[in-house]
Amino acid sequence: MSAEDVLHPFPATSKKSGGLMKSAGSQADLARSMEFNDLPPLNIGASRENLPQFHPISPKKDIKAKSALSLNTVKKASKKFLDVWYKSWRSLAICVSFMFIFGTFWIVEVVAVELLLDVDSTTPWVVTWFACGLAGSTQAQCADLAAPYTPSLGALAAANLSVRLVGIVIFTIFAPQTTHDWRALIQKSRK
């Protein structure tokens, strides 16, 4: 195998003829040889001396350029973060407050349901409580019999009232922006 065969492996091309030669091959061979005709020949005897030399930037200039670039990048990133935070803090505040409000509400409700889950008409404290009511006792006397087995009335009331906090939270979060928008609209309409 000669060096000419290594540099030009396809028979349809020849350095001697200066380009394509007619061959008995198909049109696909002709197209393939045209693609490789534009490639530069391989430089088999290349050495390090023949490679292009790169000169790095001086260390002082490089450090100053990198620090200026990184400082600028940090400023841009912090500005983007603050823009996103400013645009979405209301959404985040509503999500967190709703999770807290509804989380406490449902925890209390689930605990209350679990306490009363296995209760039916044959449960001993229910039979005693019902007999107390039929005997003509007062509500306070009968309530004392059932109190250890039922959920706390204060906890249930607090859980149900906590849901009303949703409106207060929404008002607290959106009222400042709404009043600002209304003032701007009124001032704009006066002009």
Side-chain angles (χ1 to χ4, degrees), residues 3-143:
E4 188 69 28
D5 293 335
V6 171
L7 295 177
H8 296 282
F10 295 103
T13 62
S14 169
K15 232 179 173 180
K16 292 177 187 171
S17 66
L20 287 176
M21 293 185 341
K22 298 267 181 178
S23 69
S26 67
Q27 235 176 354
D29 291 335
L30 185 63
R32 197 175 318 119
S33 68
M34 292 168 92
E35 290 173 14
F36 287 100
N37 223 10
D38 296 334
L39 294 176
L42 295 174
N43 189 356
I44 296 174
S47 65
R48 288 187 173 217
E49 292 82 27
N50 296 341
L51 295 175
Q53 298 295 317
F54 295 103
H55 300 286
I57 300 173
S58 69
K60 283 186 177 178
K61 288 181 181 177
D62 192 34
I63 291 172
K64 285 181 182 177
K66 284 184 180 178
S67 63
L69 179 65
S70 64
L71 184 62
N72 193 21
T73 305
V74 168
K75 283 181 181 178
K76 285 181 182 178
S78 63
K79 186 178 181 328
K80 276 186 179 180
F81 175 76
L82 290 175
D83 286 345
V84 169
W85 176 255
Y86 181 73
K87 291 175 184 174
S88 62
W89 76 267
R90 287 181 178 89
S91 304
L92 292 171
I94 283 181
C95 288
V96 170
S97 59
F98 281 17
M99 286 173 50
F100 176 75
I101 291 169
F102 287 116
T104 56
F105 171 75
W106 281 109
I107 287 171
V108 171
E109 293 296 320
V110 166
V111 168
V113 167
E114 282 184 0
L115 285 174
L116 300 174
L117 200 58
D118 297 328
V119 175
D120 60 4
S121 60
T122 60
T123 306
W125 69 265
V126 172
V127 173
T128 308
W129 173 73
F130 194 66
C132 176
L134 288 177
S137 300
T138 65
Q139 184 178 1
Q141 291 170 337
C142 295

